[in-house]
Amino acid sequence: MDADKLAKLKASMASSRIGGKGTPRRKVKRVVKGEGNDQKVQAALAKLNPQTITGIEQVNMFKDDNRVIHISRPAVQNAPDYNTFAIHGYATEKSVEEMLPEMIQSMGPESLEQLRKLTEQIQAAQGANAGANKEAEDSEVPNLVEGETFDREVD
């Protein structure tokens, strides 16, 4: 074999080798997709034999910190034998104040009563927090005493 050809072959092998000497060359770069988890979920759902529910325009899930997980145009599946719902779609997180106008239009009378109670609780909590903050501010400021100064000279 010619020395030049051997040097070119060695250079091409070194550029395509992943590890050190003696490791196999990689001919195709494999791209790992993140859909493996979704496929597992779909396979588990297929075992439950869910039924697709149509006519649902949006889904709102309320969290304890006054945030709402909002999914518009979701795909909803139900497996009544297993008491399971699966909701697929693009979710965004919004505050209750942002969602309020949209929610009022789709609520019934019972839901409106619950919403009214929720707003009263939120307002009461905000009022209590404001009162506590004002008291905390007042307790930090010392009372003025006549004849005394609070300025000290540092030696």
Side-chain angles (χ1 to χ4, degrees):
M1 225 186 205
D2 190 24
D4 293 332
K5 286 184 181 180
L6 187 60
K8 287 180 184 178
L9 181 63
K10 189 175 181 181
S12 68
M13 287 177 61
S15 65
S16 65
R17 185 176 291 151
I18 296 172
K21 185 176 178 181
T23 58
R25 291 183 293 163
R26 179 175 57 181
K27 296 180 181 177
V28 178
K29 183 177 180 182
R30 295 185 181 177
V31 178
V32 179
K33 296 182 181 178
E35 297 179 9
N37 193 17
D38 191 40
Q39 291 173 352
K40 290 179 182 178
V41 171
Q42 292 296 334
L45 277 174
K47 292 179 185 177
L48 300 178
N49 194 21
Q51 301 168 350
T52 303
I53 300 174
T54 58
I56 297 178
E57 296 176 7
Q58 66 180 358
V59 172
N60 295 318
M61 291 182 267
F62 296 90
K63 295 170 58 175
D64 291 335
D65 61 348
N66 292 333
R67 304 288 293 167
V68 178
I69 299 174
H70 174 73
I71 305 172
S72 58
R73 295 180 300 173
V76 180
Q77 294 178 324
N78 178 21
D81 297 339
Y82 299 96
N83 195 21
T84 303
F85 284 90
I87 302 170
H88 307 275
Y90 180 71
T92 57
E93 190 170 322
K94 300 180 179 181
S95 66
V96 174
E97 291 83 14
E98 291 176 52
M99 295 297 300
L100 199 58
E102 294 175 24
M103 291 187 308
I104 289 177
Q105 294 174 356
S106 62
M107 288 184 161
E110 295 174 357
S111 300
L112 287 174
E113 182 63 28
Q114 290 176 349
L115 181 64
R116 185 185 62 78
K117 290 179 182 177
L118 178 67
T119 55
E120 288 175 358
Q121 290 175 354
I122 291 172
Q123 289 174 352
Q126 288 175 348
N129 287 341
N133 289 340
K134 187 172 182 175
E135 289 177 11
E137 289 175 8
D138 289 343
S139 66
E140 292 175 6
V141 177
N143 294 329
L144 292 177
V145 179
E146 288 186 33
E148 289 188 23
T149 60
F150 292 103
D151 297 331
R152 286 191 294 181
E153 292 183 19
V154 179
D155 294 331

